[in-house]
Amino acid sequence: MQTITNDTWLLTVGTFLPLVGVLLMMFVPASEEKTHKQIGILTSAVTAAVGVYTLLRFDFDQSEKLQFFVDSEWITVIKSNYTIGLDGISLPLYFLSMVVTLLVMIYTWDNMPDAGNPKSFIMLMLVLQVGMAGSFIAQDLILFFVFFEVVLLPMYFMIGVWGGDDRQYASLKFFLYTMFGSALMLVAFLALFFQTGAASFSFAHLMEAGALIDRDVQIWIFAGMFVGFAVKVPMFPFHTWLPDAHTQAPTQGSVILAAILLKLGTYGFVRIAIPMLPQGAKAWAPVIGILAVIGIIYGALGCLAQTDMKRLIAFSSVAHMGFVMLGISTLTDFGINAALFGMVAHGLITGMLFFVAGSVKHRYHTLEISRLSGMLIQMPRLGWILGFAAMASLGLPGLAGFWGEFPAILSAYNPNFGLSEALFRTLMVVAAIGTVFAAAYLLWLYQRTAFGRPNPEFEQGAHHPVGAGVNDEHHDVDLHDVTKIEWIAWTPFLIAIVVFGVYPQLMFGVMDPAVSLLIERVGAGIP
Amino acid sequence: MISSLLAQAWTAPTIDWHAIAPELVLIAGINLVLLIDLWLDESKKWAMATLTGFVMLGAVIPVVTLAVLGGDVRDAIFDGRYVVDEYALILKALFLLVGYVVVLLSQNELEEGGYYQGEFYVLMLVSVLGMVMMASSRDLLSVFVALELLSIPAYMMAAWRKRDVKSNEAGVKYYLLGVFASGVLLYGMSFLYGTTGSTKLTEIGAALSGDLTGMQVLAVVFVVAGFAFKISAVPFHTWAPDTYEGAPTPVTAFLSVASKSAGFVALLTVLYLGLYGADEVHGPFIWVMAALTMTVGNMVALRQTNIVRMLAYSSVSQGGFILMPLAVMGTGAAESSLRAVVIYLLIYAFSNLGAFAVIIAVARKTRSGEISSFGGLITYAPGLGVLMTIFLASLAGIPPLGIWIAKLQAFKALIDAGSSSAYVLAIIAAVNTVIAAGYYMRVLRQIWMSPVPDGDTTPISPPSSIWLALGITAGGTVVLGILPGLVLRFADLPDLTGALGL
């Protein structure tokens, strides 16, 4: 694999910088909440600035090569190195993780979840950021595994400590599912290592040597990785942790989960499973495709049945990740580009939807769809933003969501490497029907919450009969429109959704060379 | 006249004093502690702990000089039946360090409980001496003597709270089952000696190649089963939970880390030097034990409400993971299996001792061993809460904390072996990793997410000795997790595997 070794410090600094913030915060007493928030924002802002500098230094004409490449000794005894690099596939996600963390950190300024204790909360978010960014730069299987697991505990605590009523159940479910996936994944990684001659864990080596493994063995190893990554994506039938985790997580957790964490799974397929085990990938592609489409339909039907706004958005994630996986399963240049685009787009759009849901919860103290209505009258700006995000989510052309879904469906028309056309065209049709469902549930959600007359119980200054105050969901109706902090945190999302929607080439241009190379390599491994 | 007669018949062997210096320091220390204790006023007994700590650290010095200066393997002493090589040195260092940490943990417990401090530390030093000897033993006799030397004081230490019925139960159970295990072991050893004509492990190894006789098969099974008691492998684990619960917590920490590691060291030495030719016998036997140990240990740990009991069963289950690579040592993965076990022992010691240190610190305030007594710990003792999170997450195998690399090595050894039975064991282990995470997370959930049980949020201020113990164990857990290379290279053990001709 060709590499460029310029600015070797850049990725290491960008990834581990948040730890400096964590270290600083250790020495500040927990009672100084404002200082902690400031340190959090400052650290993530500097990290994001390093990210911007990375964008500037990135050579976009050679985005198929690994840039800022570093390969230094780490655990020599087990032949694992500290190998990092960035190419067109990982750049968008790497940068996205930095920006999302910054914006979430800003949002936290006056939206701290009820459980309080911003010190721990912000420290965990910073550690989370290290794990996320690290996963996208790792070019060594063991290093990737370590980063992949680093995100586990902080997210567990974010859901479990700062989440909703059912937080303990949700957080444990999240933890055990992911742990199960990664344990099997680790076995698969080690099997891959020994099958390739136990020489190195580096991606470059494994991509060359992995293709030479016998087909049957590849299929088995792929199965192990499949479980690990599919849990993270999550794909049907491994998705059941997601609605619980999303619903119970605090807004910040939901946004990070949707925007970045789920992408670790799909990224793992694109970066590791498929190029290292081309024949295994080909054998599994129909299964992935079928499960992806089941996920699309199942997620959509699940959405239609939900009465809770956040849970509905969570199920829509299952459906959207189904489109991403469908694109990947075609093994085409076109499909994987679409999938990568879909990953970023879903991150932006669903992240935005979760932000809105968080703010709705903050104001109404409920997310029960049947109790919400007339948001456009009471809080027109928030209502419009919800509408905008819903439109983007259902794949309206001109907004980012479209470029994730439409090409993914299209790519299934012509799957690569002799995959069954009949099967994939059927999948294509079913997936297309799924988009109709998507329009249905999102518009229905919008109609029920934003249109109509406001629910009398949430009228401004509504008079509550004596005794109703016992139910503390009713007290303190304070409906204010989008605040300044929210504008700051959300505007970049809104702008990005429009920009990528209008000019998708911005991202496709970066990714395509790397994806073509990837497909070429996969093709070389399939006899 | 007699002296001249003696001089003819017996010439003193040349003794490599440097090689046995750690043992000598310990022996001198034992006598010193014993004597000083006799003359010391009751009000000054606290000094015994400090003195014992210094003896442990003093014994580390020759270990370090041997490691730095030694270079080659010293096996001239005692006809190669007592060997000082890298394998022995790293384990001696481990046992002494664990001993030191346990002294730190016992200090306040004994002082405040008004127990017999001098005697306690003497027994502990004797037990550590047995472990240190175990690391060098290469002969059935010295293995057995070391094993008894480390066990017998431990029986008494388990019953140290002599007015507490539970502690008595702990001691008696441990003693009876331990003696029974010793009997089984000795019986097996006698068969080995009878059929091979030697007690030296390397000679037994040479004689045990090829087809085994029925008696030899029996011998191998008995020997492995005898050690299985020591390392509390299922189905020989039944003493562990009761003993762990009843014994004073520092003793439990000592048993579950040091004593267990010593059992593993004995098993390793005997398997690798003496019984490697019999892998068709002990391979499947250990396979079954490993699978049972991790599964049963986990299943029972899930249901515990007492944290010490939970850690006891979790350490049973961890023992299964340590045992796992040995199941495939005969199938081409000898070297990676050995490395996996040694690494696991080294890192497991840090994390498990750390968890016990936190339990001791918290129990000083709550006076309870229930998991629920950890409720809301993070709110009033954030330092201890975070440390416990680190230790338990490490035990659960979450990178980048200590035990992940040990687990990785264990899995690696299995997959290196590549046989289908090895893969099956790997899958069983993977599933067990998740189950184990379940109960570790339950404690973390109490610490982070539950309210303080009785609303008492006065902060905990553990004594400085416990902070020191926490610092050592936490440092080890974190640093070894991120830079495992620091100890991995010690586990390159050409000298031990060299005997196998690998």
Side-chain angles (χ1 to χ4, degrees), chain A residues 260-277:
Chain A
I260 314 293
L261 245 56
L262 304 187
K263 276 70 201 179
L264 291 179
T266 39
Y267 177 77
F269 275 109
V270 174
R271 172 67 83 193
I272 294 172
I274 291 175
M276 289 179 194
L277 301 161

Side-chain angles (χ1 to χ4, degrees), chain B residues 51 108 110 164 166 179 196 234 258 293 299 346 351 427 432:
Chain B
L51 183 64
N108 292 81
L110 285 173
D164 180 359
K166 279 203 161 175
V179 171
T196 61
V234 176
T293 305
M299 289 302 169
L346 292 176
S351 297
I427 303 282
N432 269 302

Side-chain angles (χ1 to χ4, degrees), chain A residues 109-444:
Chain A
W109 182 259
D110 57 0
N111 286 288
M112 189 60 211
D114 290 337
N117 196 354
K119 179 177 178 177
S120 312
F121 190 71
I122 290 169
M123 280 164 103
L124 288 175
M125 271 206 280
L126 290 173
V127 174
L128 199 60
Q129 158 66 17
V130 174
M132 296 188 299
S135 303
F136 294 127
I137 60 165
Q139 295 294 326
D140 179 285
L141 219 45
I142 295 295
L143 188 67
F144 173 82
F145 179 74
V146 170
F147 280 123
F148 192 81
E149 297 291 289
V150 163
V151 298
L152 208 54
L153 267 189
M155 195 33 112
Y156 167 75
F157 286 124
M158 273 178 94
I159 300 173
V161 180
W162 289 273
D165 296 331
D166 219 2
R167 56 183 182 266
Q168 300 210 354
Y169 169 74
S171 59
L172 192 63
K173 197 168 174 183
F174 160 78
F175 190 89
L176 292 184
Y177 261 78
T178 324
M179 188 93 188
F180 175 71
S182 43
L184 287 184
M185 189 174 83
L186 181 63
V187 174
F189 281 0
L190 290 172
L192 178 63
F193 173 70
F194 283 108
Q195 292 291 335
T196 52
S200 164
F201 274 108
S202 86
F203 284 7
H205 167 77
L206 292 174
M207 280 179 199
E208 270 174 33
L212 306 174
I213 303 173
D214 283 348
R215 181 168 178 274
D216 293 346
V217 181
Q218 283 199 25
I219 291 176
W220 276 106
I221 301 178
F222 197 95
M225 291 192 190
F226 174 79
V227 174
F229 293 134
V231 166
K232 202 83 173 183
V233 170
M235 283 181 78
F236 181 90
F238 303 108
H239 67 281
T240 62
W241 63 269
L242 183 82
D244 289 311
H246 261 325
T247 314
Q248 298 304 324
T251 307
Q252 289 88 336
S254 299
V255 172
I256 294 179
L257 201 56
I260 314 293
L261 245 56
L262 304 187
K263 276 70 201 179
L264 291 179
T266 39
Y267 177 77
F269 275 109
V270 174
R271 172 67 83 193
I272 294 172
I274 291 175
M276 289 179 194
L277 301 161
Q279 296 193 61
K282 191 189 161 191
W284 275 87
V287 180
I288 298 177
I290 291 169
L291 289 178
V293 170
I294 294 179
I296 295 172
I297 299 297
Y298 180 89
L301 292 178
C303 282
L304 287 171
Q306 296 311 314
T307 56
D308 181 288
M309 186 169 160
K310 217 170 164 189
R311 217 174 156 82
L312 189 149
I313 303 171
F315 269 99
S316 83
S317 267
V318 177
H320 281 119
M321 294 315 275
F323 284 107
V324 171
M325 288 313 298
L326 178 65
I328 292 176
S329 72
T330 64
L331 300 181
T332 55
D333 185 354
F334 196 40
I336 292 185
N337 264 315
L340 289 170
F341 197 101
M343 279 148 77
V344 176
H346 171 262
L348 294 169
I349 296 166
T350 310
M352 194 58 235
L353 280 171
F354 276 119
F355 266 139
V356 174
S359 291
V360 168
K361 171 94 180 173
H362 185 68
R363 289 165 173 79
Y364 289 103
H365 301 285
T366 182
L367 282 167
E368 202 64 34
I369 298 173
S370 57
R371 284 174 63 194
L372 303 169
S373 68
M375 206 188 296
L376 278 172
I377 294 176
Q378 286 180 310
M379 296 178 290
R381 293 189 187 87
L382 190 65
W384 277 110
I385 292 176
L386 173 63
F388 176 83
M391 293 304 153
S393 183
L394 66 81
L396 195 72
L399 298 176
F402 176 75
W403 299 106
E405 280 179 23
F406 177 67
I409 297 172
L410 211 57
S411 69
Y413 186 76
N414 244 337
N416 215 346
F417 306 125
L419 291 167
S420 158
E421 284 191 356
L423 171 69
F424 273 88
R425 284 181 190 173
T426 317
L427 294 180
M428 181 182 89
V429 174
V430 182
I433 296 171
T435 59
V436 181
F437 280 123
Y441 63 74
L442 283 162
L443 291 177
W444 197 32

Side-chain angles (χ1 to χ4, degrees), chain A residues 74-75 78 157 160 168 194, chain B residues 409 412 445 448-449 482 488:
Chain A
W74 182 39
I75 317 178
I78 61 168
F157 286 124
Q168 300 210 354
F194 283 108
Chain B
Q409 291 284 337
K412 213 175 142 209
R445 217 161 66 187
W448 285 77
M449 300 166 201
I482 296 170
L488 278 181

Side-chain angles (χ1 to χ4, degrees), chain B residues 293-345:
Chain B
T293 305
M294 59 178 83
T295 313
V296 173
N298 270 341
M299 289 302 169
V300 188
L302 270 179
R303 300 212 323 264
Q304 302 305 318
T305 56
N306 180 300
I307 186 142
V308 179
R309 254 186 116 78
M310 189 212 89
L311 268 188
Y313 278 108
S314 107
S315 86
V316 169
S317 153
Q318 298 275 357
F321 281 95
I322 309 179
L323 205 51
M324 168 170 94
L326 293 178
V328 296
M329 65 168 274
T331 51
E335 213 154 345
S336 46
S337 302
L338 179 62
R339 180 185 297 150
V341 175
V342 174
I343 287 302
Y344 213 120
L345 292 177

